[in-house]
Amino acid sequence: MKTNIINLEKSYLYRIKTFTFSLSLGLLSVFSAAAQNQSKSLLQSSNYDMKLGDVQIIALSDGSIPQDLNKLLTNVKPGEVKELTEQNFQNPIVEASVNAYLLKIDDQLILVDAGTSELYGPSLGFLPGSLKKVGILPEQIDAILITHIHTDHTGGLVTNGKITFPNATVYISQKEFDFWMTPIYYREATNRLKPYYEEALLKITPILEAGKIKTFDYEKEIFPGVMPIPRLGHTPGHTTYRVSSKGETIVFLGDLIHSAAVQFVDPDVTIVYDVNPKEAAKARKKAFRDAAEQKYWVAGDHLSFPGIGHIRKTDNGYRWFPINYSTTGNGQ
């Protein structure tokens, strides 16, 4: 790890450690109050298995939460959200999945993203239960690949102040880590972004202090067959991960897409969470084009669970083909 990213100011760490989350700040402000009234006992953890060459992939549900697309999506045409959601037999307030993915590669157990933990209310935070359902304990996880540091992907790294996956090395791109963990960037951030810093750093700092963060540069394999690819814009270091085995490929998209109904048809549509919306749209179109041309699998953290499928080019955009349901692991 580069020395400049661990030389954090004491006052900055103190601010993060003593920060108390407010439901009126950051990401929480746009979530439906209905989710807060749901009983966690009514919900169950979920998983879905598939094979990719020699790699076993298990999609894991952290839960879901209502999101109002009219308030969240940006760069939309008049009436576009209503029209496209109706075409999908939905309405603009939809349940957004929060997915994570477990990879079994040789003798390694590797997570792609880490869920939310306690941050977003009772309809989320089910990742540990989903792991338990497939016979995996948190201490068995060897590595966690973070697509980006927004806390619906990193909140689950720390639960009630304790590291959730104590034996896991957490991999984050150097660009992403620098952006969220450098004190001067926090001080210069807009009021809109400051809560994102505070929420994210509250979860990342314990991992950093435990010496469990490993940063990387792009286009070099992290593990055999696992390649990080820069898809910048949603955040400055947003990463997708390409996993290949025996001629088969899947790309984990992270937050390149939030609404299947709208953004496959119109990839130029962005979302309020994007740090750089223009670059995010550009990255999304490149990822969609590559997936359609090369016909490999993709998996999205906010696509309806399990979030795995294929993308095909159409005259006006793209079409999503979710994986066929299977109880044998051969649904593809």
Side-chain angles (χ1 to χ4, degrees):
M1 187 184 304
K2 296 181 180 179
T3 57
N4 65 318
I5 62 175
I6 61 174
N7 188 23
L8 302 178
E9 296 177 2
K10 292 182 179 179
S11 61
Y12 184 58
L13 287 174
Y14 177 78
R15 179 183 179 90
I16 299 307
K17 287 180 178 179
T18 58
F19 176 74
T20 301
F21 285 103
S22 168
L23 292 180
S24 64
L25 292 178
L27 296 171
L28 299 181
S29 63
V30 297
F31 292 145
S32 169
Q36 304 299 326
N37 297 324
Q38 293 178 348
S39 170
K40 205 154 190 164
S41 64
L42 297 178
L43 301 173
Q44 297 180 352
S45 58
S46 300
N47 61 279
Y48 185 92
D49 294 20
M50 69 174 284
K51 286 286 286 185
L52 186 93
D54 289 330
V55 178
Q56 183 178 2
I57 299 171
I58 305 177
L60 301 164
S61 175
D62 191 60
S64 65
I65 195 162
Q67 301 241 281
D68 189 340
L69 298 181
N70 279 321
K71 294 180 179 179
L72 298 179
L73 297 182
T74 55
N75 195 37
V76 294
K77 304 177 185 70
E80 184 175 24
V81 172
K82 182 176 185 295
E83 178 184 352
L84 292 178
T85 53
E86 286 182 351
Q87 286 180 14
N88 284 265
F89 299 94
Q90 299 174 358
N91 63 60
I93 300 178
V94 297
E95 287 277 333
S97 291
V98 177
N99 307 322
Y101 299 92
L102 178 66
L103 312 179
K104 294 185 178 181
I105 301 177
D106 297 328
D107 60 347
Q108 299 269 1
L109 292 176
I110 303 168
L111 271 179
V112 180
D113 285 331
T116 61
S117 189
E118 80 288 357
L119 295 185
Y120 299 103
S123 66
L124 288 168
F126 291 93
L127 179 58
S130 293
L131 282 167
K132 184 177 180 180
K133 189 175 179 180
V134 297
I136 303 296
L137 298 175
E139 54 265 31
Q140 293 178 269
I141 300 299
D142 297 297
I144 303 172
L145 310 180
I146 297 298
T147 58
H148 63 297
I149 293 183
H150 281 164
T151 48
D152 52 329
H153 304 260
T154 59
L157 292 175
V158 175
T159 303
N160 298 322
K162 295 183 179 180
I163 295 175
T164 310
F165 307 97
N167 298 314
T169 300
V170 177
Y171 291 78
I172 305 173
S173 80
Q174 186 74 55
K175 282 180 177 288
E176 184 76 355
F177 191 92
D178 286 350
F179 181 77
W180 296 108
M181 294 298 289
T182 303
I184 191 172
Y185 292 157
Y186 171 78
R187 291 196 298 269
E188 294 177 353
T190 64
N191 289 335
R192 183 183 75 85
L193 279 181
K194 269 186 166 41
Y196 290 77
Y197 277 91
E198 292 166 341
E199 293 168 357
L201 290 170
L202 188 66
K203 293 292 185 171
I204 295 296
T205 299
I207 312 297
L208 176 66
E209 293 180 333
K212 291 290 188 177
I213 297 286
K214 186 169 184 178
T215 60
F216 59 81
D217 295 318
Y218 293 110
E219 308 298 350
K220 295 180 181 178
E221 285 192 347
I222 298 175
F223 297 97
V226 180
M227 179 76 76
I229 301 170
R231 290 287 182 253
L232 316 180
H234 179 64
T235 60
H238 184 278
T239 301
T240 64
Y241 294 93
R242 184 176 70 227
V243 177
S244 300
S245 177
K246 289 189 172 180
E248 298 183 67
T249 296
I250 187 170
V251 173
F252 295 93
L253 300 176
D255 272 13
L256 282 185
I257 182 166
H258 292 79
S259 169
V262 178
Q263 289 177 297
F264 279 123
V265 177
D266 186 356
D268 282 313
V269 172
T270 49
I271 196 163
V272 295
Y273 308 134
D274 291 334
V275 175
N276 187 325
K278 289 184 179 180
E279 288 300 309
K282 182 179 177 181
R284 178 165 40 257
K285 289 186 282 189
K286 177 67 165 66
F288 286 3
R289 182 169 64 250
D290 289 352
E293 290 177 353
Q294 299 177 41
K295 299 181 180 179
Y296 51 63
W297 292 101
V298 298
D301 283 12
H302 298 306
L303 293 172
S304 186
F305 184 82
I308 299 170
H310 285 100
I311 300 172
R312 177 169 301 209
K313 185 74 177 74
T314 67
D315 291 340
N316 299 319
Y318 295 87
R319 183 178 172 189
W320 171 241
F321 292 85
I323 192 170
N324 186 55
Y325 179 75
S326 168
T327 58
T328 67
N330 294 309
Q332 55 267 48

